[in-house]
Amino acid sequence: MINTLVQSPEAVAWDNTLRAHTAEHFISTHRITPTLLAKEINPSERENMSYIRQHTTIPVPQPRYPHLSSWLVMDLVKGRMLLDCWDAQSAFMKFRIACTMRVYISQLQQLRGSIPGTVAGGIVSGVLFEHEDRGPFQDFTRFRQYYEMVSESGWASSVRARRSIGSVQPLAHPSVMGVRWPLVFTHGDLNLGNIMLSEEGVLWIVDWETSGFFPPWLETVGLRYYHSAPKSWQRFRWFMAGWYPDYEQLWDFFMDDVHRYTPSQWSKKTNATS
């Protein structure tokens, strides 16, 4: 039934409009009726959405038809992405949106977990992990070992690169290696396309596919990832999600070398040292 709806003329027209707007060839979310969206299911997204709807007051689309195994169907939010309308907002409205985001992120960070990653299965993925599934990790310690191993490798690569060009300026070793932090619920991809301003002026958060339990500073890092966002949005980043400059630097080292450590390589390395 859903396969037929996503190929209807109305759905195809909506896809084409969205594709032209975002300049992306692949469209994962389809409008199948005037009030419903459908996307090919990721087992974690429905669980994440239901969890957030149950434990916070953050406006999240209502998942429908949980018996479907191949599609996630949810209510359509009637409004505009902030990607479309942020620049048109007044200075007061921009500050109001930032304050609302600060409250939403604070609510998320009140939720604590013991296993890193998604609510269902503990998989670590998303834009900050090069869109490749990693895990499941047994616990916080295993995740921190992975994160610190890759970051150490990235730092060492940066040191070698500086030496190769004759730089004598030292590159300080990250001071936060080995520091413990809690695992809090994190969206991880709060770009302006995943925040909707409804016709009633309510701020909705969408695309919870790769959200889950991560260190609290990862939300700040995720906001920082989108360098093309307007400066007026970027200025609110620390206000909304917190100030973690040392961890941002450490994550830069992580991103430098994460491509070298696929899940299978990490598994072999940790099994060899266990």
Side-chain angles (χ1 to χ4, degrees):
M1 177 65 175
I2 303 298
N3 290 328
T4 301
L5 289 174
V6 299
Q7 296 174 24
S8 69
E10 294 80 5
V12 171
W14 192 83
D15 288 357
N16 289 336
T17 300
L18 189 61
R19 186 178 292 109
H21 176 79
T22 61
E24 292 184 3
H25 178 71
F26 177 74
I27 300 298
S28 62
T29 305
H30 312 275
R31 183 174 180 174
I32 56 173
T33 76
T35 61
L36 293 176
L37 295 178
K39 63 187 299 187
E40 292 187 34
I41 198 165
N42 178 301
S44 63
E45 185 163 14
R46 181 184 286 143
E47 295 291 335
N48 288 342
M49 292 172 67
S50 298
Y51 180 81
I52 295 304
R53 286 179 58 86
Q54 180 180 355
H55 291 94
T56 75
T57 61
I58 299 171
V60 175
Q62 171 68 59
R64 302 291 182 182
Y65 311 112
H67 64 283
L68 296 175
S69 59
S70 300
W71 293 94
L72 169 63
V73 177
M74 69 193 90
D75 289 347
L76 169 69
V77 177
K78 294 185 177 180
R80 302 178 68 190
M81 295 183 293
L82 283 191
L83 183 66
D84 291 338
C85 62
W86 173 259
D87 287 335
Q89 305 302 312
S90 66
F92 172 77
M93 189 60 181
K94 288 177 179 176
F95 180 64
R96 180 182 174 186
I97 289 172
C99 289
T100 302
M101 292 298 299
R102 179 184 172 97
V103 171
Y104 289 176
I105 291 171
S106 177
Q107 285 193 51
L108 291 178
Q109 295 194 349
Q110 297 303 310
L111 306 174
R112 302 297 177 93
S114 58
I115 305 297
T118 57
V119 170
I123 295 297
V124 171
S125 186
V127 64
L128 295 177
F129 298 90
E130 295 202 329
H131 293 291
E132 185 168 9
D133 289 351
R134 303 171 194 275
F137 294 92
Q138 297 173 359
D139 51 31
F140 156 86
T141 300
R142 297 284 281 186
F143 175 73
R144 192 179 72 177
Q145 287 173 345
Y146 165 72
Y147 153 72
E148 292 188 345
M149 180 199 71
V150 178
S151 299
E152 178 81 18
S153 176
W155 172 80
S157 296
S158 296
V159 170
R160 289 192 296 270
R162 288 190 176 206
R163 289 174 179 169
S164 70
I165 60 174
S167 174
V168 295
Q169 184 177 3
L171 183 63
H173 190 276
S175 61
V176 289
M177 298 284 278
V179 177
R180 293 186 62 85
W181 19 255
L183 293 174
V184 303
F185 204 89
T186 306
H187 185 282
D189 192 15
L190 289 174
N191 68 77
L192 291 170
N194 287 336
I195 305 171
M196 304 286 298
L197 186 61
S198 76
E199 296 172 350
E200 296 77 25
V202 176
L203 211 62
W204 291 71
I205 308 298
V206 301
D207 197 357
W208 295 85
E209 180 177 339
T210 58
S211 61
F213 293 103
F214 296 100
W217 41 265
L218 201 66
E219 201 77 89
T220 301
V221 172
L223 284 165
R224 175 174 173 256
Y225 182 85
Y226 294 95
H227 306 290
S228 60
K231 296 294 184 184
S232 55
W233 171 258
Q234 294 182 38
R235 283 196 291 269
F236 286 118
R237 178 168 62 89
W238 288 338
F239 172 75
M240 293 187 292
W243 188 58
Y244 302 96
D246 291 339
Y247 285 110
E248 289 183 29
Q249 181 190 40
L250 190 60
W251 198 264
D252 286 341
F253 294 139
F254 176 89
M255 291 297 288
D256 284 344
D257 262 27
V258 66
H259 63 279
R260 296 178 53 200
Y261 297 94
T262 64
S264 59
Q265 289 172 323
W266 162 245
S267 177
K268 291 176 182 177
K269 187 174 182 65
T270 54
N271 288 337
T273 57
S274 296

